[in-house]
Amino acid sequence: MSDIHMPRKLKIDVLRYDPNLPNEKPHMQRFIIEEAHGMTLYVVLNEIREHHDNALKFDFVCRAGICGSCGMLINGRPGLACRTLTSKLPDLITLAPLPIFKLIGDLSVYSGEWMRGMNERLETWIHTQEKKSDINKIEEPMEPELAEEIYELDRCIECGCCVAGCGTIAMRESFVGAVGLNKLARYHLDPRDKRSDDEYFELIGNEDGVFGCMTLLGCEDLCPKELPLQSKIAYLRRTMLKVGMK
Ligand code: SF4
Ligand code: F3S
Ligand code: FES
């Protein structure tokens, strides 16, 4: 009888390493999991933790591609585990933590710490010139197309996939990455942000900002939210070039 409908036995190779254990060395550990219909890597990892090894470290909050905490290398490619169906992958699946970020252990990294540093450095919030906010003041209307463009960029979930897949950051860790440039493009477009182009130039008119990006394109390929990262980096680069040539 054909075994076409038999569930696959998935071989899940996980990179195990706890940097807090003095004698621990990085090593691969294989788990065999029976595939189920509609199975995601979120389900796989929970099954491993429940039935094979409850010490396995990995991060999840929302299971719906919203919180950005489950980024990892899936067969060498950064992606969200909760949005990855095993049916799209071969029988052998290799999981490793995202590079660039500090390792907590196994598949868990401090991406939040990196993102906080980047957000503080680039001051990713609206800068008004008002000393105090007046809650009774009616906000200036915004063109719906512009609001839509800003909203599109606000969909970034800070998952770190674009950071982990960027060769520039691998060579220069101070580079702010596509995630940082996307955020500054978002604030630059927003008429409520009163920073001048010169102030933006101070932040990203350098090798750690727009002029460091080597257009390697991994960021846009890997972004699970399919953000238009390339066109926004190009937009900022054009704007910063004008400032630089003044
Ligand atoms: Fe993730 Fe995309 Fe945001 Fe990068 S830009 S952190 S890949 S959602
Ligand atoms: Fe990196 Fe994306 Fe630029 S992958 S080099 S930020 S195009
Ligand atoms: Fe939230 Fe995957 S668990 S994005």
Side-chain angles (χ1 to χ4, degrees), residues 210 229-240:
V210 274
L229 299 171
Q230 278 320 294
S231 62
K232 291 303 171 254
I233 293 173
Y235 159 76
L236 274 186
R237 193 181 281 141
R238 281 194 304 275
T239 315
M240 293 304 110

Side-chain angles (χ1 to χ4, degrees), residues 23 58 74 82 138 216-217 246:
N23 299 321
F58 56 89
I74 303 162
C82 74
I138 296 177
L216 298 174
L217 305 183
K246 269 200 300 199

Side-chain angles (χ1 to χ4, degrees), residues 59-70 80-83 157:
D59 298 315
F60 286 93
V61 179
C62 71
R63 310 177 215 168
I66 297 167
C67 71
S69 59
C70 68
L80 296 182
C82 74
R83 304 303 292 162
I157 55 171

